[in-house]
Structure formats: C-alpha cells, structure tokens
C-alpha cells in the first residue's frame, strides 16, 4: 500500500500533522526571528505560520533558513545556514497570518535540536514576536519545545542588528514520524553505498534506502542492472561475476573455429562468448579453414586451378579483384601485331588479341614493323620504325630541290638536294641571279642605287634600264646662287650639269635674292624668299611695348620687334600693371592692395577711400573713442563704435541682457528685473514673483490645479486640491478622490460599507486581504477572517480545515469519494484514486486496489515461469505474486501444460512423447545425425543428440540438468 502520508512526507510510519502555537499579541515587530526547536520524539517540520505586524497590500517576500549549529556561534555566518523555504505572500492585513511552507521537511530526531530563521526579505515588512528568556521554552508539548532566540533585521550577509531574547508568534506545523537510515546514492540509480548515512523520516535528495551498490559513480551499475559483455569486464549487476563468468550476461558474440590461423573462422564450427576464445575468430566467413592463404582478406590470383582465394564465390577472370593478370593488345588488321592503345587484362589470351604492342597503325595490314617505307603524301611510317619518308634511309621515290638562301622564292641553280619533300629553305625553282639578296630576283623592281645593281636579273642597271624606279627631280640654277628655279626641272638617277636639288629661289635672275639672304626694312622686297616683305627678321627692325589696358602706358615685360608699331603697342614701357587701366603713373591711389599710381607704395593712409577704426579693449566687436583712418584694420580695433563698457566683453549695443545681475549689458541704460513682464519683479531684484518667466505666476495669482505650476506662489503641492496632504492618484499620488480630504491611501476604512476611503477597492469585501471577496457579500471566500483560506489555496490535508473552500472532505486527498479512516472512511491508499474499497483489483500491479489486504495474481501452477494462456487468476494474501502457484503479469502466457514443470514454450524437448517446448511437435530433433549440405558440413552446427533417449522421461544427468534449469528460472524470476 502507498498511503498519501508516504507520498507527501516520505517513507516510514507517520502520524497526521500536529501543531505547536504562540498566540498573536501584536506588541512587537521585526523583519525576522531566530529560534531553537528541541524534539522529545522524532518529528518532521513542514510549515511555519506567522502573524503580520501591519497591513502590507503588495505582499511580502520571505525566506526560511535552518542550522544545527548553536545560534550564538552563527549569527553572522551565512554559510552555516541552509535555505529550506522561500516565496511571496499575497496582500496581508494587520495581524493577518502568512504561511512559509518548507520546500522539503526538516527532520529533528528524538532528543535532537535544530535552529530556524524565519524572515521577511522585503525590508518594509515585519512579523510579530514576543520577548522571552533564552533557554526557557516559550511553548511546548509532548513532541516539541519552542525556545526563544534572536530578533534579526534582514540582511543578505546576516550582519543586521541583533536583539535577544525573541520568540516568533505563530504556529509550527509538524508530523511525528519514525526516522529511517538512508545511504549515499551519488549516481542516483536508487542503490546506495555504505558510507556517511543520514537518519531522516523522508528520503533526502541524493540518498537511497539500500547500501548494495558496488559502484556508486555509475548509474548503469547496480543490483538492478543487466550484466553486459564489455571490454572492461564490468560487473554491472553487482553479483560478483562479470562477462563470461556471469550466466546472465547479454551481448555475447559468435566466434568461428580458426584451424588454419588466418583470423577467419569457419561457419561449420562455432561457439558463443563475450571475449574471443583461443583458436577462434570473430567471424564465420572462411571458405577453406585448412589453408591460411584462402580467406576473405586474401588476394585473388591467376592460377591453373582457378582457386577462389578471397572466398567471394568467384575465381580468376570471374573475380574483378584478381591479381597477376597479363596485358593483351588488340590486332584489328590481323597482321600479327597489336595496338598499344587497345588492351585487355586477363589471365588467359582473349580472341583477336596478341602479346605484341608494336603495330603503329592497326587499321592497315601493310603497316607494321615488317612493311616497306616509301615517299607518300601522308608521310606514313610503313615500317613502324618511328621514321617516315626522308627521315628513313630506306625510303624510295625522292625529288630534286634548290636552296633559297635569301627567301625571295627563287632558287640557286648551283645548290641542289634530293628528298621526298622540299627541305627547309629549298624550292623547285633555280632562276635566282643573286641568292644572297632577297631584293634581287626575276620580277623584282629595278631601282636607282650607287652600285648600279641589276635588281631584276635582266642584264641592265639604273639609267641603262628603262624600268628603273626611284629617279630624283633636278632644278635649273640660272643665277648660280645655289638655289634652283622651281619652274624648270628634269628627272634622272644622277644630277645633270647646271641643276641643283633645291627649288626655293623666288627670283632666279638675281643672285642677291634667295632663302639665304637677310631681310631689310622699307625696300619693299622679299629678300629672304620667306613670302614676307619688311618682316621682323629685318636687320633694322624697332622694339614696341604692349599697352594691354589701353592707358597709353606700355608693359616693359611684353614687347615685340617690327618695322612699324603693331596695334595695341606703344613706345612707352613705364606701366606697373598693364592689366588695369586704373593703374599707371598718372592714376589716383585707393585702398585696394594695389599701387595705383605706380609710385612704389600701396594703400597709403591718404588713399581716397581709407576707413575709420575704433579701439575694442574687451574684444566684443564694439569699439570706443574717436577712431583712426587707415586702409587696413589696426590690431585691437573694430569698424563699429558706441561700446558703453569696453572693459566687459558681454556689454555692447544689442547684447543679450542678463536679468538680476545689476549690469546694463545691452547699453540701454538699465538692468532687467521683470523677465515675464507681468509687473512683478523677481526676488533677486527685491520683488516677490516666484516664477519671473511665467506671466501667470505671482503672489496671489489664481491657481490652476494639476498643471505642475504653483501659480499663486504659496509653496503647496499642485496635485493636492483637497489639501489632505496626499497627491491625486491621477498624477502619481495616493489620493483616489482629491475632492475629499478624508479619502486617501491608508485612510481609516470600515469593510463592507461600500465607502472606499483607503483607496483600495479590493479589500472592501476582502477583509483578510487574500484576494477573494467574502462569501457573505457575493464573493467566494468561505472564511474572510483568514488569509490562508480562499478558493484555490493549497489545502493541507487532514487538518480539518477546508483551506481551498471547495466544500469537499479534508480526508480524501485523491478525490475518489472515499475518506481515510481518520476521516471516518475506509480508503487504504488516499494517494491513489484507483485504490478504494469499491475499486476493481488489477492482477500483479503491486497495489491492494480494493483495500482487502491482498493482491490478484495470475496462475502458474507448475512454477515454470510461464502462465496459462487463458489468463486465469487467483487471490493472494500479499502483494508480490511470488508465492507457490502464483504467476506475474510479465510472465509469458505460453504454457501449454501448467501441470508439468518441464513443459513450457522454449523448453528443451525430451524423448517422452510429450510436446515439451509447446511448439506443436512431439520429440522433434531426437535423430542422431543432423542433415548435411552439399559441402559435407552440418547445416545445423550443434551438439548431438539433443534428446538421446526413448524412455519418455528425463533420466540421469540430463534430467537433473533440466530440473536444475527450472529451479534457476524460478529464482531468476523472483529476483534471487
């Protein structure tokens, strides 16, 4: 059975919850209180209920700590305390209750002691306490004594102010129990080890009820685990045996006999084991276990016997992995010589293939190493010696060819060669008269030259050859000045008498006129034949200066020479800037950074447009004084005068006036004292305007509420129109009605009258502040005086209080309609709704489903571990279904005869005229010899015979073995 008390509070025999109380006095309050509890009998502490000092509408965060150290020794040592509970309460009323349930029960053994610290971690919240005497119980009963300790203001480092002696007022909920010894379970597999034990009523985290784990660092190793084959021979089921030494080991491998030692086993003889036995291999793939050179890893070889060396079922050319094959060459033209590019690899010679690979053309039978080399257009290598035609000395049918040394396409008749094809640099022609010059050959152009060369090989040269090209033009020089007349000329290779090559004479009747003569001014003759008369090249030419700005003064740096003055040029050269007609020795000086009158000085103070400058001592851009004339601004001066205070950079005409400083910054003759111009001066100027930037704010002005401005200058809050000291809730304050001065957050308020004066609508019909209105006023709270009682609250079972207001029995935790005996009912397991006096008992589920004290089991009359197929059951007096004749739910329902222990599915067949294995066949497998296949190897490799008798009953060692196996099956099924 699994009662609800075990589910909620751990293992062991436990009573219903009990309490120890200290009534509320609401005299004192503090964040938290430390205290001791001593136990007369072993108890489990499950909850502390305290009283609040005041109302806390937002709820409070709390924490609960415990320690077994002496309080005085750990007051400021956080590490000595363990957190066992924390959370947040709902809204709390003054002197209301709050619960701090522990996350796991704290066990105090009989005669033992534990200290606790219950504290609000919300520092604005306080719980109630009373003063007492250290060491003297403030409350006690037959199980517990409640001893005063220290008051302690909350601080995360436990360094808050400490007061003594204090006892928290409230209720301690605990449960008397019987402590159990628990063993460390580091790997959380449900099995512990002998070590540092812990005594507790409930199972602590990290502990188990047994100490039988043989390896507590591995959750896969425990008495409940399955033995497995593994490399480390690990004892997974903690029975002292591992792998091959443990008959229950699973995962064994099949090993084949390896007679020839090649690491491959035979399928004809094998065994099973975790580890490899000597003389066995981890596979059964050897096709010949008498030869170590034959196995799946061997190399297939070409051989006369066509042996299958690699055991793949194929041999020699029938196996793609064969080694030792020869290369054969295709003989396409049948001349007995093969093509090296067309091959086949095979153990035996294929049809139309030969061993020779020397045929250079396997499409012509006339081409092979035995063929005759001849001259041909295709330059064919008929004898396959790597040479063809001229490259082969055995070639016939060659022609004559002539050298063309100069590459002009005509050959030298004195240089001849015989070959199949024209050698490089030769041709069939032999008509060149000079094979050292590519421009000389029949058909070339005859040209004039100094050597009188016969370029076209016709026997005549230069002027003797009417076809000569490249003749020159020669001009008559009648006046003998070395310059010819362009109107009188002739063509020839060489110059005729009285002619010259120059044709530039413009007057061939006057030897003083020619391109080599000097030009003269004012003779109206083109003396040098340049096409110009009296030009600047004349030896008597004048110099003229450019007048670019037209002011009649020339630029000395820009001149020209001519017989007469060109346009825009003058004889004067004194202009100092010929780009400006306002600049010349006769111009007026002005302020423009230019020497206007060319006197060597720029911008003299006498300039016609010189400015006036004023001294600016404070650098504010405004000067003072009479001013000084100058083209350039002197240092420390400005162009604007009129500064009323030239020692203050912030004071000048038009400056920004600063109010209330007694200084006239804008030079208007007065300081600024009424910025908003409402007729009221600021206090800094002796006035009473509280906001001199707002014309609507001054003493006595009308107030405009909630705009954040104190218009009347009275200093009061602009968000408290009713003057009750609380700002309006609409503007972030606590006053929900700013028209009534008796309504604000925290104001005195009577519940249930409909007038919400404290601004908390939720508590008008919810006096205990648990978030649920009273049932008497239309809500759902069945007890509006206790904040721990409301719909949906966590119900503490069996305390007689309907905490969640659901109206159901407090002694029916599983809600199956049956109360526990404590509540007047007969439910034997109040933690399981499927267990009650009227429930249907389920076979072998480990539960007393109908509370009759027993279990329903399947029938296994012969105790062979298999039950009857029809699912017949019987009533058991206990819950384990392990007694004689009882079967388990996980037993196979395959026993074809439940009266005989040697008959069940999978049993060894006996020669007894009985179907022992329940497979529908009697005495199968009892023949002495098993069938064999064509290879002569047993097709069923096993020991024979499997039966070996004909008496119909097990005898001798075989019978004992079978009976022993039945006993082992029953023990294994029972977990022994």
């Amino acid at each position: 059975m699994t009662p609800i008390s075990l589910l909620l509070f751990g293992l062991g025999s436990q009573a219903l919850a009990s309490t120890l109380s200290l009534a509320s006095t609401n005299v004192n309050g503090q964040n938290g209180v430390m205290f001791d509890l001593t136990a007369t009998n072993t108890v489990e502490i499950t909850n502390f209920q305290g009283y609040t000092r005041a109302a806390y509408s937002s709820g409070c965060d709390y924490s609960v700590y415990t320690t077994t150290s002496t309080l005085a020794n750990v007051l400021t040592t956080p590490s000595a305390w363990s957190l066992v509970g924390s959370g947040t309460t709902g809204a709390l009323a003054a002197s209301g209750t709050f619960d701090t349930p522990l996350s796991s029960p704290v066990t105090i053994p009989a005669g033992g002691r534990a200290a606790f610290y219950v504290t609000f971690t919300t520092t604005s919240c306080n719980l109630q306490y009373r003063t007492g005497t250290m060491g003297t119980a403030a409350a006690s009963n037959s199980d517990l004594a409640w001893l005063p300790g220290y008051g302690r203001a909350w601080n995360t480092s436990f360094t808050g102010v400490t007061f003594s002696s204090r006892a928290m007022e409230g209720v301690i909920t605990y449960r008397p129990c019987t402590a159990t010894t628990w063993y460390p379970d580091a790997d959380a597999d449900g099995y512990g080890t002998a070590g540092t034990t812990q005594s507790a009523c409930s199972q602590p985290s990290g502990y188990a009820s047994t100490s039988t784990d043989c390896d507590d660092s591995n959750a896969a190793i425990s008495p409940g685990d399955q033995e497995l084959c593994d490399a480390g021979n690990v004892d997974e089921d903690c029975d002292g045996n591992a792998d091959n030494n443990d008959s229950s080991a699973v995962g064994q491998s099949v090993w084949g006999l390896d007679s020839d030692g090649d690491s491959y086993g035979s399928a004809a003889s094998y065994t099973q084991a975790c580890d490899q036995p000597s003389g066995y291999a981890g596979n059964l793939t050897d096709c010949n276990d008498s030869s170590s050179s034959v196995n799946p890893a061997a190399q297939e070889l070409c051989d006369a016997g066509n042996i299958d060396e690699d055991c793949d079922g194929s041999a020699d050319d029938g196996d793609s992995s064969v080694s030792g094959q020869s290369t054969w060459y295709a003989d396409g033209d049948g001349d007995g010589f093969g093509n090296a590019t067309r091959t086949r690899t095979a153990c035996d010679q294929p049809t139309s293939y030969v061993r020779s690979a020397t045929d250079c053309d396997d499409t012509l039978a006339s081409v092979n190493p035995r063929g005759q080399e001849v001259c041909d257009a295709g330059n064919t290598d008929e004898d396959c010696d790597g040479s063809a035609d001229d490259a082969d000395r055995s070639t016939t049918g060659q022609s004559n060819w002539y050298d063309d040394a100069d590459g002009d396409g005509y050959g030298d008749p004195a240089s001849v060669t015989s070959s199949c094809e024209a050698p490089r640099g030769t041709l069939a022609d032999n008509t060149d008269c000079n094979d050292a010059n590519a421009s000389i050959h029949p058909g070339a152009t005859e040209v004039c030259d100094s050597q009188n060369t016969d370029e076209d090989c016709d026997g005549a040269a230069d002027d003797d050859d009417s076809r000569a090209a490249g003749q020159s033009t020669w001009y008559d020089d009648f006046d003998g000045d070395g310059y010819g007349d362009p109107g009188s000329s002739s063509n020839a290779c060489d110059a005729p008498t009285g002619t010259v090559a120059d044709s530039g004479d413009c007057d061939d009747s006057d030897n003083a006129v020619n391109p080599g003569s000097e030009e003269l001014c004012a003779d109206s003759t083109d003396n040098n034949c340049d096409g110009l008369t009296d030009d600047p090249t004349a030896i008597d030419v004048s110099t003229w200066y450019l007048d670019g700005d037209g002011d009649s003064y020339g630029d000395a740096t820009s001149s020209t020479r001519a017989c007469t003055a060109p346009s825009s040029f003058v004889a004067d050269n004194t202009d100092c800037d010929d780009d400006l007609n306002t600049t010349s020795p006769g111009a007026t000086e002005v302020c423009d950074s230019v020497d206007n009158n060319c006197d060597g000085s720029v911008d003299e103070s006498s300039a016609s447009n010189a400015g006036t400058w004023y001294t600016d001592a404070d650098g504010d851009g405004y000067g003072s004084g009479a001013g000084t004339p100058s083209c350039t601004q002197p240092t420390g001066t400005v162009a604007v005068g009129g500064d009323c205070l030239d020692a203050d950079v912030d004071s000048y005409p038009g400056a920004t006036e600063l109010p209330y400083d007694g200084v006239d910054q804008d030079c208007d003759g007065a300081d600024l004292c009424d910025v908003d111009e409402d007729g009221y001066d600021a206090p800094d100027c002796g006035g009473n305007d509280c906001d001199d930037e707002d014309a609507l704010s001054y003493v006595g002005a009308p107030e405009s509420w909630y705009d954040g401005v104190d218009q009347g200058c009275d200093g009061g809050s602009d968000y408290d129109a009713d003057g009750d000291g609380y700002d309006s809730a609409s503007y972030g304050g606590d006053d929900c009605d700013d028209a009534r001065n008796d309504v604000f957050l925290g104001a005195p308020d009577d519940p249930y009258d409909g007038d919400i004066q404290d601004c908390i609508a939720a508590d008008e019909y919810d006096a205990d502040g648990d978030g649920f209105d009273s049932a008497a006023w239309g809500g759902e709270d069945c007890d509006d005086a206790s904040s721990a009682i409301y719909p949906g609250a966590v119900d503490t079972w069996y305390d007689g209080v309907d905490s969640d207001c659901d109206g159901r029995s407090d002694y029916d935790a599983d809600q199956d309609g049956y109360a526990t005996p404590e509540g007047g009912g007969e439910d034997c397991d109040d933690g399981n709704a499927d267990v009650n006096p009227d429930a249907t008992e389920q076979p072998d589920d480990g539960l007393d489903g109908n509370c009759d004290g027993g279990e329903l089991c399947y029938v296994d009359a012969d105790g062979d571990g298999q039950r009857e197929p029809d699912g017949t059951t019987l009533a058991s007096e206990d819950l384990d279904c392990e007694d004689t004749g009882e079967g388990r739910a996980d037993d196979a329902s395959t026993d074809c005869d439940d009266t005989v222990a040697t008959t069940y599915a999978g049993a060894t067949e006996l020669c007894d005229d009985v179907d022992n294995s329940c497979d529908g066949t009697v005495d199968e497998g009892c023949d002495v010899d098993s069938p064999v296949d064509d290879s002569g190897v047993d097709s069923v490799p096993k020991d024979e015979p499997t039966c070996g008798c004909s008496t119909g009953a097990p005898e001798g060692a075989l019978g004992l073995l079978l009976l022993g196996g039945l006993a082992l099956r029953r023990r294994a099924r029972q977990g022994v």
Side-chain angles (χ1 to χ4, degrees):
M1 294 184 291
T2 308
I4 190 62
S5 58
L6 296 184
L7 293 176
L8 295 177
F9 303 109
L11 301 176
S13 175
Q14 300 181 359
L16 295 176
S18 300
T19 58
L20 180 61
S21 303
L22 278 178
S24 168
T25 62
N26 201 12
V27 174
N28 301 296
Q30 183 57 269
N31 283 145
V33 176
M34 297 176 178
F35 53 87
D36 285 344
L37 293 180
T38 60
T40 305
N41 302 307
T42 301
V43 298
E44 276 188 337
I45 307 300
T46 61
N47 182 63
F48 295 107
Q49 184 180 80
Y51 297 101
T52 58
R53 182 73 174 93
Y56 307 110
S57 59
S58 298
C60 301
D61 296 332
Y62 66 84
S63 292
V64 181
Y65 296 85
T66 188
T67 182
T68 56
S69 301
T70 303
L71 277 178
N73 296 333
V74 294
L75 289 178
T76 60
T77 310
S79 60
W81 296 84
S82 299
L83 182 67
V84 292
S86 63
T88 302
T89 72
L92 298 174
S95 294
T97 59
F98 63 92
D99 286 294
T100 61
L102 305 190
S103 55
S104 60
V106 174
T107 301
I108 305 177
R113 168 197 161 278
F116 293 89
Y117 178 28
V118 179
T119 181
F120 279 133
T121 56
T122 301
T123 56
S124 61
C125 298
N126 286 331
L127 54 81
Q128 295 181 27
Y129 71 86
R130 65 177 65 178
T131 59
T133 302
M134 298 292 280
T136 301
S140 63
N141 57 23
S142 60
D143 296 316
L144 278 178
W146 195 345
L147 303 176
Y150 299 91
R152 167 53 65 88
W154 167 245
N155 186 288
T156 56
S157 60
F158 282 51
T159 57
V161 179
T162 303
F163 305 95
S164 65
S165 160
R166 306 290 172 84
M168 187 181 84
E169 295 176 347
V171 180
I172 299 173
T173 302
Y174 68 92
R175 186 176 299 279
C177 61
T178 301
T180 300
T181 299
W182 302 93
Y183 301 91
D185 181 15
D187 56 11
D189 59 4
Y191 295 86
T193 59
T196 303
T197 62
Q198 183 171 329
S199 179
C201 296
S202 303
Q203 181 175 2
S205 176
Y207 283 78
S209 60
T210 70
S211 60
T212 57
D213 201 341
C214 56
D215 185 348
D216 203 34
S217 64
N218 190 336
I221 299 177
S222 74
D225 283 293
Q226 173 66 56
E227 182 68 28
L228 304 172
C229 289
D230 55 67
N233 275 4
V234 177
D235 178 17
E236 287 89 357
D237 58 3
C238 294
D239 64 354
N241 298 310
D243 289 14
N244 288 346
N245 294 325
D246 194 328
S247 61
S248 67
V250 298
Q252 292 179 321
S253 300
V254 177
W255 306 92
L257 181 63
D258 182 18
S259 299
D260 54 11
D262 59 2
S263 298
Y264 290 86
S266 170
S269 182
Y270 67 91
T271 187
Q272 289 184 314
C274 286
D275 303 317
Q276 181 175 0
S278 176
Y280 283 78
N283 58 73
L284 290 81
T285 58
D286 202 340
C287 57
N288 186 345
D289 202 38
S290 62
S291 174
S292 61
S293 61
V294 177
N295 58 64
Q299 174 64 55
E300 185 69 29
L301 302 174
C302 288
D303 54 64
N306 273 6
I307 297 172
D308 179 16
E309 287 90 356
D310 57 3
C311 294
D312 64 354
S314 301
D316 286 15
D317 287 333
D319 193 330
S320 61
S321 67
V322 68
S323 175
Q325 292 174 308
S326 300
T327 300
W328 303 91
Y329 302 91
D331 182 15
D333 54 11
D335 59 4
F337 295 89
N339 184 351
T341 64
R342 294 178 57 205
T343 65
R344 281 185 62 182
T345 302
C347 292
D348 303 316
Q349 181 176 6
T351 302
S352 298
Y353 280 77
V354 296
R355 287 193 179 277
S356 171
T358 57
D359 201 341
C360 55
D361 187 344
D362 202 38
T363 64
L364 295 173
S366 61
V367 177
N368 58 64
R370 294 197 185 105
Q372 173 60 54
E373 187 69 33
V374 297
C375 286
D376 56 54
N379 216 24
T380 303
D381 179 16
E382 287 88 356
D383 57 3
C384 293
D385 63 354
S387 301
D389 291 6
D390 289 332
D392 194 327
R393 289 187 296 178
S394 66
T395 302
T396 61
Q398 296 169 319
S399 301
N400 288 330
W401 306 93
Y402 300 91
D403 286 345
D404 181 16
D406 56 9
D408 58 4
Y410 296 86
D412 183 357
S415 179
V416 60
T417 301
S418 295
S419 63
C420 289
E421 297 178 358
R424 185 182 181 85
T426 69
L427 37 76
D429 180 88
N430 62 354
T431 61
D432 201 345
C433 60
N434 187 345
D435 202 38
N437 191 331
S439 63
I440 299 175
H441 56 75
T445 299
E446 184 70 26
V447 296
C448 294
D449 56 60
S450 60
Q451 292 84 18
N452 277 357
T453 303
D454 178 15
E455 287 87 359
D456 56 4
C457 293
D458 63 353
D462 287 8
D463 287 334
D464 295 330
D465 193 329
S466 60
R467 295 179 297 177
Q471 292 177 320
S472 300
T473 300
W474 304 95
Y475 301 91
D476 291 331
D477 180 15
F478 295 110
D479 57 9
D481 59 5
Y483 297 90
D485 184 352
S488 178
S489 65
S490 61
N491 293 325
C493 286
D494 301 317
T497 301
T499 65
V500 295
D502 185 284
S503 62
D505 202 340
C506 55
D507 185 354
D508 201 40
S509 63
D510 186 348
N511 61 7
V513 177
N514 56 64
S517 297
E518 290 182 339
E519 187 72 23
L520 299 174
C521 286
D523 64 356
S524 300
T525 301
D526 180 12
N527 308 92
N528 58 7
C529 292
D530 62 357
L532 300 175
T533 301
D534 300 342
D535 60 40
T537 61
I539 59 176
D540 54 351
V541 70
S542 300
T543 301
W544 305 94
Y545 298 93
L546 178 65
D547 179 17
D549 54 11
D551 59 1
S552 299
Y553 293 88
D555 183 355
T557 65
S558 180
S559 62
T560 187
R561 292 175 63 78
C563 290
T564 60
S567 176
S568 299
F569 279 78
V570 297
D572 179 89
N573 64 353
T574 61
D575 201 339
C576 56
D577 188 344
D578 201 41
D579 291 329
L580 296 174
N581 59 13
T582 59
T583 302
S584 69
T588 300
E589 188 71 21
V590 295
C591 294
D592 59 357
S593 299
V594 176
D595 181 12
N596 306 94
N597 56 12
C598 296
D599 65 355
S601 297
V602 177
D603 294 351
E604 300 94 321
S605 61
S606 60
S608 62
N609 61 342
T612 301
W613 306 95
Y614 303 90
T615 300
D616 181 15
D618 55 13
D620 58 5
Y622 293 83
S624 61
T628 300
S630 175
C631 281
T632 58
Q633 180 179 4
T635 301
T637 66
V638 294
V640 180
D643 197 339
C644 60
L645 184 57
D646 203 31
D648 186 352
V649 69
D650 295 320
S651 297
Y652 51 86
T656 299
E657 183 70 25
L658 299 178
Y660 327 132
D661 64 352
V663 178
D664 179 19
Q665 282 91 356
D666 59 3
C667 295
D668 67 353
D671 188 26
L672 181 61
C673 288
D674 182 14
V675 173
D676 56 12
E677 298 180 349
D678 59 2
Y680 296 84
D681 285 349
D684 291 339
C685 285
N688 57 4
D689 195 339
C690 60
D691 187 351
D692 199 35
E693 294 181 359
D694 184 358
L696 299 178
S697 296
Y698 50 88
V699 176
E703 189 68 42
S704 177
W705 297 106
Y706 312 124
D707 62 358
V709 179
D710 181 16
Q711 284 91 354
C713 296
D714 62 1
S717 171
D718 193 58
Y719 302 98
D720 182 18
D722 60 7
D724 58 6
Y726 292 84
D727 287 352
S728 170
S730 299
Y731 295 91
D734 296 326
D735 197 337
C736 57
D737 188 346
D738 206 30
R740 290 178 56 183
N741 59 14
D742 64 338
V743 176
F744 50 87
L745 184 64
D749 192 8
D750 294 327
Y752 315 129
D753 63 359
D755 185 11
I756 304 170
Q757 294 175 269
D758 62 356
C759 293
I760 303 176
D763 69 358
E764 186 62 17
Y765 299 96
D766 178 21
D768 58 9
D770 58 9
F772 292 84
D773 288 351
S774 168
W777 297 90
E780 300 175 337
D781 196 340
C782 56
D783 186 351
D784 204 34
S786 173
S787 61
I789 300 175
Y790 54 87
V794 177
D795 204 346
T796 302
W797 297 104
Y798 318 123
D799 63 357
V801 178
D802 183 16
S803 300
D804 59 0
C805 294
D806 64 359
R808 294 183 292 194
S809 171
D810 196 56
Y811 296 91
D812 183 16
D814 58 11
Q815 302 298 304
D816 59 2
Y818 296 85
T820 64
E822 294 89 342
E826 298 177 346
D827 197 340
C828 58
D829 186 349
D830 203 33
N832 188 339
D834 295 326
V835 177
N836 57 68
D838 292 327
T840 300
E841 186 72 36
Q842 299 299 320
D844 191 28
D845 62 352
L847 297 176
D848 179 15
N850 58 7
C851 294
D852 65 354
E855 172 67 292
L856 192 64
C857 302
Y858 291 100
V859 174
D860 181 12
D862 55 12
D864 58 7
Q866 293 188 7
R867 54 188 174 87
E868 296 178 358
D870 60 2
T872 303
T873 59
L874 56 82
S876 176
E877 295 181 357
D878 54 27
L879 301 179
D880 58 13
C881 288
E882 295 289 353
D883 299 325
T884 302
E886 296 176 356
R888 299 298 301 270
D890 55 357
D891 289 343
S893 58
T894 53
D895 197 340
C896 57
D897 188 346
D898 202 37
T899 63
V900 181
T902 58
T903 301
Y904 53 88
T908 301
E909 190 68 31
L910 304 176
C911 296
D912 58 356
D913 295 327
V914 175
D915 180 15
N916 306 95
S917 59
C918 293
D919 62 356
T921 306
V922 177
D923 294 351
E924 68 272 25
C926 291
D927 53 302
V928 174
D929 293 315
S930 298
V932 296
D933 57 22
D934 293 339
S935 67
V937 178
D938 286 351
S939 61
V940 183
K942 62 184 178 180
D943 293 334
E944 300 177 303
T946 58
C947 300
C949 63
S950 60
T951 62
E955 293 181 355
L958 180 59
L960 292 175
L961 176 61
L962 293 173
L963 293 176
L966 291 175
L968 287 175
R969 284 170 56 79
R970 169 55 63 186
R971 287 171 58 82
R973 191 170 68 83
Q974 293 177 347
V976 179

